[in-house]
Amino acid sequence: MKVVAAYLLAVLGGNPSPSADDIKNILGAVGAEAEHELIELLLTEVKGKDFNELLASGSEKISAVAGGGAAVAVAAAPAGGAGGGAAPAAEAKEEKKVEEKEESDDDMGFSLFD
């Protein structure tokens, strides 16, 4: 991850095609070790590709992953609610009591303004 971050810093700093030495210099400036194999792997993967296209592609992949997680959460909610109507109401009542107790203890028992 630090190699990718150093690459991105170099590109954002105005170097459209950072070299291995550029990445090593950035990592060295913050005291991080530069792993030559990882730097070379990154540079071979991004060679000849436009930075903006890489960002757009990555954004699409991340949004696809995030969308899948939300669908699972939405699908799980109806399954849990199908068991019985009384249990969720009881849980809500208990949560409300807990909130009231927390609110009355705003000064954490120190009575600073009494």
Side-chain angles (χ1 to χ4, degrees):
M1 201 62 166
K2 62 186 173 185
V3 173
V4 173
Y7 176 82
L8 292 174
L9 284 171
V11 171
L12 292 173
N15 185 352
S17 182
S19 67
D21 289 334
D22 295 331
I23 294 172
K24 287 179 185 179
N25 288 337
I26 292 171
L27 291 173
V30 296
E33 291 184 27
E35 297 177 28
H36 183 71
E37 296 84 23
L38 292 176
I39 294 172
E40 290 302 321
L41 175 65
L42 174 70
L43 292 177
T44 57
E45 291 293 321
V46 298
K47 185 176 183 177
K49 296 180 182 175
D50 182 48
F51 177 72
N52 292 324
E53 290 175 10
L54 288 172
L55 283 179
S57 173
S59 294
E60 289 174 10
K61 290 178 183 177
I62 288 176
S63 66
V65 170
V72 171
V74 170
E91 289 178 21
K93 189 174 182 180
E94 290 177 21
E95 288 179 19
K96 191 172 187 179
K97 288 180 183 178
V98 171
E99 286 180 20
E100 291 173 6
K101 185 176 181 181
E102 291 174 357
E103 290 176 11
S104 66
D105 198 21
D106 284 341
D107 63 356
M108 298 174 25
F110 292 113
S111 301
L112 296 174
F113 299 107
D114 287 339

